[in-house]
């Protein structure tokens, strides 16, 4: 009986403890939940794949083509002992704009009949360039696997001295676009180095301006 009485007294003490501490416990758990939800809401979204981290575009086919071209470009640069280039949204937007204009005007040139040059396109899309260059490619025919086409364009540019010069040029960023119209596929690479970055490499603004002018004259 003593054991039973002791057990009942223990139960009574535990009941008193629960009555005293239960409200505080509930409040603590509620606060913990609110804090966790607040932190989750403020936490930046994590990209699920490399494609989510780079604005390749919303079209799955052209996005895959751009991704393959960009990957092959940096693989080649690294193989030559060069630093990889970053993907830039503004350069990509300028490239896509030129691709759409080539479709509209049915032309394949760096300067179309509208007379808009690369530096003007970069200005329009807010890219403060110090140096820039452009590579173009076109494929006409039945649809090919996107990754295959993106890599093939890069390999074709490697084999062309003028395009190859841009691929291995002293640029920090690139924007790539693929524009499709029926069985015509345009590939556009716009390379660039921001004006602020280029200026920091030179001792004077005049030297930086001269370098930018020389790069502009040789952008094709």
């Amino acid at each position: 009986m003593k054991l039973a009485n002791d057990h009942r007294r223990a139960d009574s003490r535990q009941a008193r403890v629960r009555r005293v501490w239960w409200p505080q416990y509930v409040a603590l758990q509620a606060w913990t939940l609110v804090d966790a939800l607040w932190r989750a809401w403020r936490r930046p979204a994590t990209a699920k794949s490399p494609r989510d981290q780079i604005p390749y575009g919303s079209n799955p086919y052209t996005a895959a083509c751009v991704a393959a071209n960009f990957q092959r470009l940096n693989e080649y640069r690294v193989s030559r002992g060069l630093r990889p280039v970053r993907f830039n949204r503004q350069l990509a937007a300028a490239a896509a704009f030129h691709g759409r204009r080539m479709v509209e005007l049915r032309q394949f040139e760096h300067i179309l009949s509208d007379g808009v040059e690369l530096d003007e396109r970069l200005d329009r899309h807010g890219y403060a360039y110090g140096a820039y260059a452009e590579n173009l490619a076109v494929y006409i025919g039945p649809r090919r696997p996107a990754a295959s086409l993106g890599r093939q364009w890069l390999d074709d540019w490697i084999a062309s001295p003028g395009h190859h010069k841009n691929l291995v040029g002293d640029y920090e960023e690139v924007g790539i676009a693929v524009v499709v119209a029926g069985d015509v596929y345009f590939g556009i690479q716009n390379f660039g180095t921001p004006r602020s970055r280029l200026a920091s490499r030179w001792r004077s603004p005049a030297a930086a301006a001269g370098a930018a002018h020389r790069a502009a004259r040789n952008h094709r």
Side-chain angles (χ1 to χ4, degrees):
M1 294 295 292
K2 184 177 180 179
L3 291 175
N5 289 335
D6 289 345
H7 183 68
R8 285 195 296 270
R9 285 197 295 271
D11 288 345
S12 178
R13 286 194 298 271
Q14 291 173 4
R16 287 196 299 273
V17 170
R18 283 197 296 270
R19 285 195 298 271
V20 172
W21 290 102
W22 181 250
Q24 291 89 334
Y25 175 78
V26 171
L28 178 61
Q29 293 301 310
W31 171 252
T32 301
L33 177 61
V34 170
D35 183 63
L37 291 174
W38 172 252
R39 291 176 183 274
W41 180 75
R42 294 191 63 189
R43 186 180 302 121
T46 302
K48 296 181 180 179
S49 69
R51 183 174 300 175
D52 295 330
Q53 299 173 15
I54 302 176
Y56 291 142
S58 58
N59 182 289
Y61 180 86
T62 57
C65 191
V66 170
N69 189 270
F70 179 59
Q71 181 181 7
R72 179 79 178 92
L73 166 64
N74 274 335
E75 288 174 350
Y76 183 71
R77 286 179 62 90
V78 171
S79 74
R80 296 289 300 264
L82 303 171
R83 66 174 181 272
V85 289
R86 300 184 300 271
F87 199 96
N88 181 275
R89 291 174 180 268
Q90 294 161 312
L91 290 174
F97 172 80
H98 190 58
R100 291 191 297 270
R101 293 296 289 155
M102 287 193 290
V103 170
E104 293 169 3
L105 298 176
R106 298 178 179 273
Q107 298 172 3
F108 178 65
E109 298 287 347
H110 290 282
I111 304 175
L112 304 177
S113 57
D114 58 11
V116 179
E117 299 192 29
L118 177 55
D119 58 341
E120 297 176 80
R121 299 197 298 271
L122 299 183
D123 283 336
R124 290 184 182 184
H125 290 86
Y127 188 78
Y129 58 84
Y132 55 83
E134 181 174 72
N135 283 341
L136 300 179
V138 62
Y139 165 71
I140 302 175
R143 175 166 290 204
R144 295 176 50 184
S148 173
L149 181 59
R151 289 192 295 266
Q152 182 62 56
W153 276 336
L154 203 290
D155 291 338
D156 291 343
W157 285 328
I158 290 174
S160 168
H163 296 93
H164 182 265
K165 181 180 178 181
N166 294 335
L167 297 178
V168 299
D170 189 18
Y171 302 107
E172 296 187 0
E173 299 173 328
V174 70
I176 305 171
V178 175
V179 178
V180 182
D183 61 352
V184 181
Y185 300 74
F186 291 108
I188 307 99
Q189 282 184 331
N190 282 349
F191 292 91
T193 296
R195 186 176 303 134
S196 58
R197 291 286 300 156
L198 186 66
S200 67
R201 300 179 188 177
W202 299 85
R203 294 183 178 179
S204 70
H213 180 69
R214 288 192 297 273
R217 292 183 58 186
N218 297 320
H219 79 272
R220 284 192 291 171

